[in-house]
Amino acid sequence: MAFAPMGPEASFFEVLDQHRASLLAALKRGGGEPAGGTHLASRFEDSVGLHMVSHCTTRKIKSDSLKSVKNFALILKILSMIYKLVQSNTYATKRDIYYTDSQLFGNQTVVDSIINDISCMLKVPRRCLHILSTSKGLIAGNLGYIEEDGTKVNCSCATAVAVPSNIQGIRNLITNGKFLLIVEKDATFQRLLDDNFCNKMSPCIMVTGKGVPDLNTRLLVKKLWDTFHIPIFTLVDADPHGIEIMCIYKYGSMSMSFEAHNLTVPAIRWLGLLPSDIKRLNIPKDTLIPLTKRDQMKLDSILKRPYITCQPFWRKEMEIMADSKMKAEIQALTFLSSDYLSRVYLPNKLKFGGWI
């Protein structure tokens, strides 16, 4: 699968290449040093993220208890469905399972929770249960691969490609990409496509999870890291919600900590929008948004997490946000010019190493 790069001269990528060399050197040394103690049922390690510990709190669901008999029955029902899927080597989505008996399950959340519990209980990734999630993410840029059914996919077209629903099944991945950019919001991702960012910064790859990433988008980012070990950056709003999304990609989430080794990429760096960029670029105050009480609580919660202790530059940025009591969306950059993000902001950040 051939790609035709149209991007900047090789010298543009010097700092990026140095960053990649340092990442590869860290991998050879065995990743990061363990950092931090316990956090609920998870432990944080710099090289893995949040992951389960063996002495975590457990709960019992009994068949002879009125309080849990229905949940017990639902677990058995879904286990029987999983057994049939594995026996027949077929796959189903969580939505498929819900619609087999929507009245019994009540709502999709019940099914999602039980599948997570079963995956955690059996200590296997969800895809080993032959249950897939419906993908909502998109991918574009210098990447090609073959799907499980033999379909050849080329992501270098003008329009984005949907993230596959079976990441484990894709093979023959190929890229010359110098970096992978994770974009928080679909609107920003589409704007970068419209501005021909992938070609201007070629070779590169862009991914969006359209907000909080689904499992498949996280699996794809992890697979790209494991396969190519190219630098990965995040572009998120300068607000607590954006930081939270970045943390999910980098360190994982409590709800999926039992599968951290398959999902987290601690090598991810924060490219923008940094709270310090707001002052540096003289973004007008009337384009900023005051932090809500909920925002402040979220920010306080993130600052208390164990992985922030080994990210002093992240802490400093969050403290800038807390002190100013203001947040900013990526769209605030359009005040400077309509294409400032793709024409100036990102190229300068990538060329001069403006990530933390």
Side-chain angles (χ1 to χ4, degrees), residues 49-238:
L50 288 170
H51 64 104
M52 291 287 284
V53 292
S54 55
H55 52 278
C56 60
T57 306
T58 59
R59 61 189 174 92
K60 291 182 179 179
I61 298 172
K62 300 179 181 179
S63 60
D64 57 353
S65 165
L66 284 174
K67 197 174 180 181
S68 60
V69 65
K70 183 180 178 182
N71 204 21
F72 183 84
L74 292 178
I75 290 173
L76 287 182
K77 180 172 179 63
I78 292 178
L79 276 170
S80 71
M81 295 171 75
I82 290 169
Y83 176 77
K84 289 173 185 174
L85 289 170
V86 173
Q87 285 287 93
S88 61
N89 196 29
T90 54
Y91 290 83
T93 65
K94 294 186 295 182
R95 202 71 177 152
D96 293 334
I97 289 175
Y98 168 68
Y99 278 116
T100 58
D101 199 332
S102 57
Q103 285 192 321
L104 175 67
F105 292 121
N107 61 67
Q108 183 69 54
T109 309
V110 172
V111 173
D112 296 352
S113 177
I114 289 173
I115 289 169
N116 282 344
D117 285 347
I118 291 172
S119 184
C120 186
M121 179 176 67
L122 299 179
K123 296 178 181 174
V124 296
R126 190 192 300 164
R127 58 196 172 279
C128 291
L129 306 176
H130 283 232
I131 295 173
L132 306 174
S133 299
T134 304
S135 295
K136 66 170 182 167
L138 297 171
I139 186 163
N142 188 284
L143 179 69
Y145 56 86
I146 299 175
E147 291 193 332
E148 191 178 27
D149 63 0
T151 303
K152 290 183 179 180
V153 178
N154 183 355
C155 302
S156 62
C157 303
T159 55
V161 174
V163 169
S165 58
N166 188 359
I167 301 299
Q168 191 181 30
I170 65 175
R171 62 188 191 278
N172 293 15
L173 284 85
I174 181 170
T175 185
N176 301 315
K178 290 285 189 178
F179 65 92
L180 166 61
L181 180 65
I182 299 170
V183 183
E184 175 192 351
K185 297 191 296 193
D186 185 36
T188 307
F189 181 87
Q190 297 298 338
R191 179 57 200 257
L192 289 172
L193 282 181
D194 291 343
D195 288 349
N196 207 20
F197 178 80
C198 283
N199 281 331
K200 290 175 182 174
M201 290 292 104
S202 180
C204 70
I205 306 170
M206 280 200 317
V207 171
T208 182
K210 298 183 180 179
V212 177
D214 59 288
L215 182 66
N216 290 324
T217 303
R218 292 175 63 190
L219 285 168
L220 178 63
V221 170
K222 173 68 170 175
K223 192 176 186 82
L224 291 173
W225 166 250
D226 288 344
T227 306
F228 302 112
H229 294 121
I230 57 174
I232 303 178
F233 304 109
T234 56
L235 177 64
V236 299
D237 287 337

Side-chain angles (χ1 to χ4, degrees), residues 6 96 297:
M6 298 165 50
D96 293 334
M297 288 172 64

Side-chain angles (χ1 to χ4, degrees), residues 39-45 48-53 94 112 116 120 126 211-219 241 243-266 268 298 301-302 305-307:
H39 184 62
L40 295 180
S42 301
R43 182 175 66 210
F44 166 70
E45 286 185 22
V48 179
L50 288 170
H51 64 104
M52 291 287 284
V53 292
K94 294 186 295 182
D112 296 352
N116 282 344
C120 186
R126 190 192 300 164
V212 177
D214 59 288
L215 182 66
N216 290 324
T217 303
R218 292 175 63 190
L219 285 168
H241 185 69
I243 295 169
E244 178 75 277
I245 287 170
M246 176 173 59
C247 290
I248 290 172
Y249 282 108
K250 185 175 174 77
Y251 293 122
S253 60
M254 290 295 296
S255 62
M256 296 297 290
S257 58
F258 60 89
E259 211 179 327
H261 288 79
N262 299 311
L263 293 172
T264 59
V265 184
I268 286 172
K298 170 69 75 178
S301 168
I302 296 171
R305 293 178 189 174
Y307 45 74

Side-chain angles (χ1 to χ4, degrees), residues 281-311:
L281 298 172
N282 292 317
I283 296 173
K285 284 192 174 181
D286 58 7
T287 64
L288 307 182
I289 307 165
L291 289 176
T292 65
K293 204 167 187 178
R294 190 174 178 183
D295 288 331
Q296 290 172 336
M297 288 172 64
K298 170 69 75 178
L299 193 59
D300 290 343
S301 168
I302 296 171
L303 281 165
K304 291 174 184 173
R305 293 178 189 174
Y307 45 74
I308 298 301
T309 59
C310 62
Q311 293 290 348

